[in-house]
Amino acid sequence: QVQLVESGGGLVQAGGSLRLSCAASRSLFSINAMGWYRQAPGKQRELVATITSLGSTNYADSVKGRFTISRDNAKTTVYLQMNSLKTEDTAVYYCIACMQPDDYWGQGTQVTVSS
């Protein structure tokens, strides 16, 4: 099992930046992959970005070139740097830890981008 604690959400104007953090309760090397999903009101949860234990990354097309996922193994923390934010990025952002056989989710952090 792993516990995940997200932080860093908030209110920002369009064009601004935020950095989300996801602190894990165990070594990141023991987790196959970690990532971020988001869910806007009335919409399904969607993948934003993932990073594997080897450091390979993957992004949704909608955030490529604007968001960067990274990890600090010593701090057992994964980050999501979000630049050039758009109003359509407004959502609750969830951290996920992908482990076999289960996935674990954080509690979510709200990101609101105003025009």
Side-chain angles (χ1 to χ4, degrees), residues 19-40:
R19 189 178 78 158
L20 306 183
S21 299
C22 174
S25 61
R26 61 187 294 168
S27 169
L28 299 185
F29 292 112
S30 66
I31 302 172
N32 295 332
M34 293 190 67
W36 292 91
Y37 278 70
R38 66 186 181 187
Q39 187 167 20

Side-chain angles (χ1 to χ4, degrees), residues 40-96:
K43 295 188 177 181
Q44 289 190 333
R45 193 171 294 190
E46 63 175 3
L47 174 69
V48 176
T50 60
I51 185 166
T52 71
S53 59
L54 298 178
S56 297
T57 58
N58 181 55
Y59 296 93
D61 288 342
S62 59
V63 306
K64 282 181 181 177
R66 301 188 298 121
F67 290 11
T68 303
I69 189 170
S70 62
R71 51 193 284 157
D72 185 328
N73 295 322
K75 295 183 179 179
T76 66
T77 299
V78 172
Y79 303 98
L80 185 68
Q81 178 66 45
M82 305 185 295
N83 299 328
S84 302
L85 282 160
K86 305 175 181 180
T87 55
E88 51 262 45
D89 294 318
T90 295
V92 178
Y93 284 70
Y94 296 91
C95 180
I96 183 173

